């Protein structure tokens, strides 16, 4: 399985905000029970990407690259490249973390692999080298993947991407026996506290006070685009469609704080949640969501118009609205 000798708290791996690195478990074992996959994805790491906000300021972003190998920012995307597979496929996700003096994992959130392939560092190991995660796409739906090393920081830094499982029929049908759709939007909504985005990868692992108990977001984004203005018109996020067409919205609550999404007067039919179809769909005008929840919704407008979609991000205790991200559906 994996090297238990290495699975111990580790001090001083490299300098970190807390004066060292603790409670990481570096390893890169052979994949247990490895078989020939139906599809393989290769992922590397970048840790000096950036995102320019609508106010002109830049925020450092980390993420996964497509193709493997360590990079220093070039070719990086945010969110990380989507993983898209078909139901029933055996999937290999090969993560390479080579010689960069940091550790990462890939956790395929909502998938149910073995412990060794779950990508939760403190239950298995943090990848130091190259490891091939093996998993099966058992249920069509919307998921996401993210790093699970020093998770509080690494997810905040942007180390996530969408994971879509299509039914055997392929894109255009939400799940076998489910509704068809003409268009698709992936809205991964997240908050950013830019004061967190200058820390070392191992910050806080030794217990120092890095302020991770206080998240004070100053940006609110949709699928890597500032929700202040840019997301209102960003291709792939803002949607243009015709009356009668059916839009599948794959909504991912990618932040830590509670969110409320309102559909601007359009009716949304929730057909699935967290990668599982609902026994009976539900028509709503808004959804309240918590961290890591996913909802699949069908929107089929009956009238032309411009509809502004608003997502409030709320304080987790007081429910105070801390900020709002917006995009738009234009119906012709």
């Amino acid at each position: 399985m994996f090297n238990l000798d290495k699975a111990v708290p580790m001090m001083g791996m490299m300098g970190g905000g807390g004066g060292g690195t603790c409670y990481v478990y570096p390893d890169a074992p052979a994949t247990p029970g490895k078989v020939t996959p139906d599809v393989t994805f290769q992922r590397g790491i970048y840790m000096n990407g950036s995102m320019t906000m609508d106010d002109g300021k830049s925020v450092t972003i980390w993420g996964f690259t497509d193709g493997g190998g360590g990079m220093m920012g070039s070719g990086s995307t945010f969110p990380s490249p989507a993983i898209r597979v078909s139901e029933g496929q055996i999937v290999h996700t090969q993560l390479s973390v080579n010689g960069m003096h940091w550790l990462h994992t890939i956790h395929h959130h909502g998938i149910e692999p073995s412990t060794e392939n779950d990508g939760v560092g403190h239950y298995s190991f943090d990848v130091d080298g190259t490891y091939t995660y093996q998993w099966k796409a058992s249920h069509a739906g919307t998921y996401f993947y993210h790093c699970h090393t020093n998770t509080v920081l690494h997810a905040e830094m942007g180390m996530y991407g969408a994971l879509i499982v299509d039914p055997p029929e392929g894109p255009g049908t939400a799940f076998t026996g489910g509704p068809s759709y003409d268009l698709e939007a992936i809205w991964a909504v997240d908050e950013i506290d830019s004061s967190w985005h200058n820390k070392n990868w191992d910050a806080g692992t030794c217990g120092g006070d890095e302020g991770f108990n206080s998240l004070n977001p100053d940006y609110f984004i949709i699928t890597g685009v500032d929700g202040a203005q840019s997301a209102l018109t960003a291709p792939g996020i803002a949607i243009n469609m015709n009356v009668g067409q059916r839009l599948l919205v794959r909504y991912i609550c990618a932040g830590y704080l509670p969110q409320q999404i309102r559909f601007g007067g359009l009716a949304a039919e929730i057909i699935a949640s967290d990668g599982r179809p609902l026994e009976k769909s539900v028509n709503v005008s808004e959804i309240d969501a918590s961290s890591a929840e996913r909802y699949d919704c069908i929107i089929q407008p009956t009238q032309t118009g411009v509809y502004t979609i608003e997502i409030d991000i709320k304080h987790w205790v007081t429910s105070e609205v801390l900020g709002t991200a917006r995009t738009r559906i234009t119906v012709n």
Side-chain angles (χ1 to χ4, degrees):
M1 291 171 58
F2 56 95
N3 189 346
L4 290 171
D5 292 338
K6 291 186 177 182
V8 295
M10 181 175 180
M11 288 291 296
M13 180 178 173
M14 67 176 289
T21 303
C22 304
Y23 299 101
V24 293
Y25 308 90
D27 207 350
T31 304
K34 190 175 182 180
V35 300
T36 300
D38 297 302
V39 58
T40 298
F41 296 87
Q42 294 183 325
R43 289 292 180 269
I45 299 295
Y46 72 87
M47 294 186 70
N48 67 343
S50 66
M51 175 180 173
T52 302
M53 302 299 182
D54 287 340
D55 61 7
K57 297 180 180 178
S58 293
V59 175
T60 298
I61 296 292
W62 303 344
F64 299 98
T65 61
D66 187 13
M71 301 178 72
M72 294 301 291
S74 61
S76 57
T77 62
F78 175 53
S80 300
I83 291 175
R84 190 156 195 157
V85 298
S86 295
E87 186 177 280
Q89 287 186 315
I90 300 296
V91 185
H92 283 178
T93 308
Q94 187 178 78
L95 173 63
S96 295
V97 185
N98 294 321
M100 295 297 181
H101 307 295
W102 50 57
L103 303 173
H104 295 285
T105 69
I106 289 181
H107 172 65
H108 303 83
H109 194 104
I111 304 298
E112 298 167 343
S114 64
T115 300
E116 298 87 350
N117 292 293
D118 199 30
V120 182
H122 49 283
Y123 283 134
S124 52
F125 50 88
D126 303 285
V127 176
D128 181 19
T130 297
Y131 181 73
T132 300
Y133 295 98
Q134 178 169 276
W135 52 281
K136 183 176 182 180
S138 299
H139 303 279
T142 301
Y143 306 82
F144 69 114
Y145 69 98
H146 62 85
C147 180
H148 226 311
T149 295
N150 201 11
T151 315
V152 172
L153 177 62
H154 289 210
E156 163 66 18
M157 293 300 295
M159 299 195 75
Y160 62 80
L163 195 170
I164 306 300
V165 179
D166 290 306
E169 298 90 324
T173 301
F175 49 84
T176 298
S180 61
Y181 58 91
D182 304 296
L183 305 95
E184 179 184 53
I186 300 174
W187 292 341
V189 183
D190 192 4
E191 75 280 328
I192 286 180
D193 182 340
S194 59
S195 71
W196 287 27
H197 284 242
N198 57 2
K199 298 182 183 296
N200 291 330
W201 72 274
D202 54 356
T205 58
C206 292
D209 185 2
E210 292 287 344
F212 291 155
N213 62 326
S214 180
L215 182 66
N216 298 291
D218 43 359
Y219 297 105
F220 307 90
I221 65 173
I222 304 175
T223 317
V225 176
D226 195 338
Q229 286 294 326
S230 293
L232 287 168
T233 56
I237 299 175
I239 299 296
N240 285 283
M241 61 188 299
N242 298 321
V243 169
Q245 285 189 306
R246 295 163 68 88
L247 168 68
L248 174 61
V249 173
R250 299 184 184 273
Y251 164 61
I252 302 170
C253 184
Y256 287 129
L257 299 175
Q259 300 180 2
Q260 182 183 76
I261 179 170
R262 299 184 297 278
F263 294 97
L266 292 168
E269 180 187 7
I270 304 176
I271 58 170
S273 173
D274 294 342
R276 299 292 187 275
L278 299 188
E279 185 174 342
K280 183 178 181 180
S281 65
V282 180
N283 293 316
V284 300
S285 59
E286 61 187 41
I287 297 173
D288 290 298
S290 300
S291 181
E293 281 191 304
R294 291 92 61 205
Y295 287 96
D296 294 356
C297 305
I298 292 288
I299 295 176
Q300 187 171 18
T302 57
Q303 295 183 332
T304 61
V306 178
Y307 302 89
T308 300
I309 312 302
E310 298 179 301
I311 306 102
D312 288 340
I313 290 83
K314 300 180 178 181
H315 190 281
W316 69 286
V317 175
T318 68
S319 296
E320 174 191 0
V321 176
L322 303 177
T324 302
R326 295 178 175 85
T327 188
R328 193 174 280 155
I329 295 176
T330 300
V331 182
N332 304 300

